[in-house]
Amino acid sequence: MLSTRTALRRAGTVAALAAAGVLTAAGVAFAHVTVHPDSYAKGATDGVLTFRVPNEEDTADTTKVQVFLPTDHPVLGVLVTPQDGWTAKVTTTRLKTPVKTDDGTITDVVSQITWSGGRIRSGEYQDFDVAFGQLPDDTDQLGFKTLQTYSDGKVVRWIEETQKGAEEPENPAPVLKLTAGTAGTAGTAGDGSAPMTASPSEPRATAKASSSDSTARGLGIAGLVAGVLGLVAAGVAIARGRSARSS
């Protein structure tokens, strides 16, 4: 009986740790504010960037989102897609060095977009779409620092830069990689595929965040397998105990 109880306790511990691993992996994968697609060709034109904002608080709603666009490598021709329940305020900045294009010289660009008036509840996310006319071709990536404000007054600052070769910071800013490609290609993502945008039938908010992180799924599956193996071991121990008593 002692060995059986020990086996059961061990199995329960393994199962609990496996469940905790699943939840932890999911939390890590889904808590960050991200931009989709995560890459575009340098100088790409006429595309869409989607900023995905999940709510990571259990007792407060997200009520305001502020995205800051870089002005040292400006994104040209920014337009905001109307979002039900949200009001978008666009702030422009005059460039120190105007940008010359085929359509003329650009002196002012969008430097900040603030969405307010809506709510992202616990366990939900919201996609905010931003169209652009042209991405820069003189840098390898763009960082979009983001502030996320909650109904209880808490502000999460997604502004930390991810250094190459270093671990991801606690509050990383969304990063768009710019890859070598055909400049000026309309809506071309970094891998040559079409940009990832939501289809008309895709819900804009859901209780489950993005499922695109295969690493999190892999960790979750591994945790569940470990739990099952623990339960199997407990079953074997129980069977042996019964056999020993009967003999």
Side-chain angles (χ1 to χ4, degrees):
M1 289 295 292
L2 182 59
S3 61
T4 299
R5 291 176 180 174
T6 300
L8 286 173
R9 284 198 299 270
R10 289 177 179 174
T13 300
V14 171
L17 290 174
V22 172
L23 294 176
T24 301
V28 170
F30 300 145
H32 298 168
V33 174
T34 52
V35 60
H36 302 272
D38 61 2
S39 66
Y40 256 109
K42 293 182 178 181
T45 60
D46 300 327
V48 175
L49 298 175
T50 298
F51 293 93
R52 178 158 295 178
V53 182
N55 189 324
E56 59 179 5
E57 295 293 320
D58 295 329
T59 59
D61 299 339
T62 295
T63 56
K64 184 167 68 173
V65 176
Q66 297 165 268
V67 175
F68 297 86
L69 284 69
T71 55
D72 53 346
H73 302 285
V75 179
L76 306 180
V78 171
L79 296 173
V80 179
T81 301
Q83 196 78 27
D84 290 342
W86 294 85
T87 299
K89 178 182 177 181
V90 176
T91 301
T92 60
T93 296
R94 183 170 292 273
L95 294 174
K96 294 180 179 180
T97 304
V99 178
K100 294 182 179 180
T101 70
D102 294 339
D103 298 323
T105 301
I106 306 297
T107 58
D108 298 86
V109 295
V110 174
S111 58
Q112 178 182 341
I113 305 173
T114 300
W115 287 275
S116 60
R119 284 185 177 269
I120 309 173
R121 294 176 172 79
S122 177
E124 297 181 347
Y125 71 84
Q126 186 73 54
D127 283 346
F128 297 95
D129 292 339
V130 175
F132 64 82
Q134 184 174 344
L135 296 176
D137 59 5
D138 58 351
T139 185
D140 293 328
Q141 66 178 32
L142 296 175
F144 299 92
K145 295 181 179 181
T146 302
L147 302 184
Q148 182 177 9
T149 302
Y150 286 90
S151 55
D152 60 1
K154 179 180 179 180
V155 178
V156 180
R157 300 168 63 84
W158 303 100
I159 62 173
E160 297 178 290
E161 297 182 359
T162 302
Q163 301 297 330
K164 186 175 181 180
E167 293 185 0
E168 185 178 62
E170 182 177 357
N171 295 314
V175 173
L176 177 70
K177 297 178 182 178
L178 297 179
T179 61
T182 303
T185 302
T188 301
D191 58 357
S193 61
M196 186 191 76
T197 57
S199 65
S201 60
E202 181 182 352
R204 306 302 295 173
T206 178
K208 294 183 178 180
S210 170
S211 60
S212 61
D213 196 312
S214 59
T215 301
R217 291 199 301 270
L219 290 173
I221 293 172
L224 293 176
V225 170
V228 171
L229 291 176
L231 294 176
V232 170
V236 172
I238 293 172
R240 289 179 177 175
R242 289 177 177 174
S243 176
R245 290 196 301 274
S246 62
S247 59

